[in-house]
């Protein structure tokens, strides 16, 4: 079994649900408290042993790459002014030289197409996918939990959570075989099924570890739900050929691509911060 070292971060979506904020700014640069979504994803990946990153970007997304660059003038100014706290805050926003590459998805044809755009980076290796707009608050980072499941099963693993039955048409949904309460065997996958056709209410969240074979199926460019090239459809082809499991991770997911989910994340993450928790708690209590 190969070691997991690579992660793909698809960030080429249009972020239409967040207009006008995303007119000139990438959705993945929106901050939760004081850190952009993309940095949460990169830090979570690093904590799971990821060393190489590929961002699949599109037009207007250069800030995402610049965020991980050395900001020479800013750092020199902060040093001159003895702003040590501000300097320390920049720490997680730096990357090992050469550890982040970008590829371009010229037209957003869907998540599956975005992953296919990273095929040269993926090569013959297992790889993680993190969708930065899914944020997971957890004691042990979600991707590290998933990596453990990958080393346990040697196959494809996706993080899963239960969603309200009437919302299955928003997510990729699992058909479930054996289930030990933590790991579930995936026997089928359907993208955004109507609640009446949904095989379960277990949904995939934006954390995956996949074997490179999935690229062969993505190469067929078959269109699925919403006329997009769906990652879920390509993954479904792997079932029966390779081990495929869902992991009920420990933690709470916030869908930051959605306005309510984004606001919930601000509150939940602020309440976890020792420097902010008391003030935010007091405000909420009085305001509500
Ligand atoms: P979403 O489904 O949230 O789409 O994509 P979106 O365009 O970002 O946002 P809305 O729905 O218009 O508001 C999930 C993830 O897949 C990436 C997005 O950047 C996001 O991280 N994605 C999606 C791509 O990189 N390319 C695509 O063609 C589609």
């Amino acid at each position: 079994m190969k070691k997991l070292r690579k992660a793909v971060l698809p960030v080429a979506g249009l972020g239409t649900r967040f207009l006008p904020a995303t007119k000139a700014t990438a959705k993945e640069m929106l901050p939760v408290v004081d850190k952009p979504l993309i940095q949460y994803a990169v830090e979570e990946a690093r904590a799971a042993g990821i060393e190489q990153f590929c961002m699949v970007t599109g037009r207007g997304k250069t800030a995402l790459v610049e965020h991980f660059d050395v900001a020479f003038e800013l750092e020199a100014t902060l040093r001159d002014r003895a702003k040590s706290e501000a300097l320390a805050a920049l720490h997680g926003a730096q990357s090992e030289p050469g550890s982040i590459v970008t590829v371009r998805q010229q037209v957003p044809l869907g998540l599956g197409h975005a992953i296919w755009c990273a095929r040269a980076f993926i090569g013959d290796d297992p790889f993680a996918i993190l969708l930065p707009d899914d944020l997971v608050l957890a004691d042990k980072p979600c991707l590290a939990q998933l990596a453990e499941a990958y080393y346990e099963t040697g196959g494809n693993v996706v993080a899963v959570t239960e969603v309200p039955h009437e919302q299955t048409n928003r997510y990729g949904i699992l058909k479930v075989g054996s289930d030990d309460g933590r790991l579930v065997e995936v026997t089928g996958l359907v993208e955004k099924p109507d609640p009446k056709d949904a095989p379960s209410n277990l949904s995939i969240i934006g954390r995956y570890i996949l074997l490179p074979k999935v690229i062969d199926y993505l190469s067929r460019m078959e269109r699925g739900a919403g006329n997009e090239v769906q990652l879920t459809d390509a993954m479904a082809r792997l079932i029966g050929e390779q081990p495929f499991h869902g992991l009920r991770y420990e933690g709470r997911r916030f869908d930051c691509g959605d306005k309510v989910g984004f606001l919930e994340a601000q509150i939940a993450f602020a309440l976890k911060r020792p420097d902010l928790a008391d003030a935010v708690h007091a405000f909420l209590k009085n305001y509500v």
Side-chain angles (χ1 to χ4, degrees):
M1 193 194 317
K2 283 193 173 175
K3 196 164 180 270
L4 177 72
R5 294 177 202 277
K6 294 181 175 177
V8 178
L9 300 161
V11 290
L14 297 176
T16 53
R17 285 170 292 165
F18 258 100
L19 285 168
T22 48
K23 184 181 173 196
T25 306
K27 173 172 74 172
E28 300 79 8
M29 281 304 291
L30 296 178
V32 167
V33 186
D34 52 7
K35 206 193 286 183
L37 291 171
I38 188 72
Q39 190 179 329
Y40 284 98
V42 167
E43 288 179 355
E44 184 182 325
R46 282 185 191 136
I50 299 294
E51 295 160 6
Q52 299 166 34
F53 296 86
C54 178
M55 283 192 208
V56 183
T57 68
R59 271 185 298 281
K61 301 275 183 169
T62 42
L64 289 164
V65 183
E66 272 164 30
H67 183 72
F68 293 96
D69 212 339
V70 173
F72 183 78
E73 283 180 1
L74 173 63
E75 287 168 32
T77 309
L78 294 176
R79 255 191 299 276
D80 279 353
R81 297 185 185 173
K83 299 252 183 205
S84 53
E85 246 179 70
L87 263 174
L90 289 176
H91 194 68
Q94 276 185 7
S95 59
E96 276 285 302
S99 63
I100 300 182
V101 300
T102 64
V103 295
R104 195 90 165 177
Q105 186 193 26
Q106 286 87 348
V107 185
L109 296 177
L111 178 58
H113 181 262
I115 301 303
W116 176 80
C117 290
R119 64 198 178 282
F121 168 82
I122 294 164
D124 205 19
D125 292 318
F127 64 103
I129 303 172
L130 297 99
L131 306 188
D133 46 7
D134 258 344
L135 203 52
V136 186
L137 188 58
D139 291 335
K140 180 177 218 168
C142 184
L143 194 68
Q145 298 178 41
L146 211 55
E148 278 179 10
Y150 162 70
Y151 289 118
E152 234 173 282
T153 64
N156 305 279
V157 277
V158 292
V160 297
T161 191
E162 258 135 44
V163 294
H165 209 80
E166 62 280 8
Q167 290 180 10
T168 57
N169 55 358
R170 295 195 204 166
Y171 303 102
I173 298 290
L174 266 56
K175 188 169 173 212
V176 175
S178 64
D179 182 351
D180 71 5
R182 175 176 160 267
L183 270 181
V184 301
E185 182 199 0
V186 181
T187 57
L189 286 169
V190 201
E191 185 62 28
K192 301 189 173 70
D194 208 73
K196 67 176 185 344
D197 308 320
S200 76
N201 67 337
L202 260 191
S203 133
I204 304 176
I205 71 154
R207 300 289 181 274
Y208 314 67
I209 295 174
L210 300 178
L211 302 182
K213 174 85 186 163
V214 73
I215 299 295
D216 292 347
Y217 292 117
L218 287 172
S219 305
R220 297 182 183 178
M221 290 298 142
E222 287 164 359
R223 303 291 181 114
N227 198 30
E228 293 189 336
V229 180
Q230 295 289 355
L231 178 62
T232 306
D233 297 342
M235 291 192 305
R237 307 252 185 197
L238 300 172
I239 298 166
E241 273 185 32
Q242 296 180 333
F244 207 128
H245 292 86
L247 173 75
R248 286 197 184 86
Y249 58 92
E250 282 170 24
R252 179 157 180 173
R253 185 274 297 255
F254 296 91
D255 177 3
C256 294
D258 169 79
K259 291 182 190 77
V260 174
F262 183 68
L263 294 170
E264 287 172 354
Q266 302 289 352
I267 295 167
F269 277 72
L271 289 174
K272 281 277 171 192
R273 285 269 298 254
D275 56 334
L276 303 174
D278 288 349
V280 175
H281 194 263
F283 167 76
L284 286 173
K285 220 171 140 196
N286 290 334
Y287 194 77
V288 175

